[in-house]
Amino acid sequence: MIGLIPASGKASRLGGLPKFALPCDKDNTPLLTRQVKQMSFYVDKIVVSTTNAWYELVKSFNLPKTEIVVIEPSTMNDALIKMAKEFESDKYLIGMADTYFEGENPYIKLSQSINDNAISAACWKIDGELKG
């Protein structure tokens, strides 16, 4: 199973600072690093896509079990399709580079349910002010 994490957004809402690079704990761990570490137990390999502009930044995170590829997508779906075509597998676990979740690691259940389901999704409650 291969983990796919698209990290190639334009970062326009944060004035050019990519959300995946934001620190998410007291050790200043970037969001992307946290996602990769949490996913790494459940996949054989992780592929992170990013843009030319963010390649060196992503590379500097020294992500375990990870191959970094440059894909200049028009959408997140486009990046995922391109990664899946380049890195063929019978199963994929997809993560979000810029998402922080607290508590249970969703990759545990997602990796377990992948054998019984064509597709599974992790959903959780968010504050109303974050919707939209």
Side-chain angles (χ1 to χ4, degrees), residues 1 4 19 21 24-26 28-29 35 39 42 46 75 89 100 109 116-117 122 124 128:
M1 179 165 28
L4 302 178
K19 288 184 285 181
C24 65
D25 61 21
K26 65 181 179 181
N28 294 320
T29 304
Q35 288 285 2
M39 181 187 279
Y42 308 102
I46 297 173
T75 65
S89 179
Y100 178 85
K109 287 185 181 175
D116 300 324
N117 302 296
W124 52 90

Side-chain angles (χ1 to χ4, degrees), residues 36-90:
V36 167
K37 284 182 180 178
Q38 289 186 317
M39 181 187 279
S40 67
F41 299 104
Y42 308 102
V43 297
D44 302 311
K45 174 184 198 170
I46 297 173
V47 179
V48 173
S49 71
T50 193
T51 63
N52 279 316
W54 304 128
Y55 179 81
E56 290 299 325
L57 175 63
V58 173
K59 187 176 166 187
S60 75
F61 294 161
N62 296 315
L63 303 168
K65 291 173 57 172
T66 303
E67 185 163 340
I68 304 164
V69 296
V70 173
I71 298 176
E72 302 283 351
S74 56
T75 65
M76 180 181 64
N77 290 344
D78 183 47
L80 291 169
I81 289 168
K82 287 177 179 175
M83 282 191 285
K85 284 182 180 177
E86 187 172 341
F87 299 89
E88 292 185 22
S89 179
D90 58 337

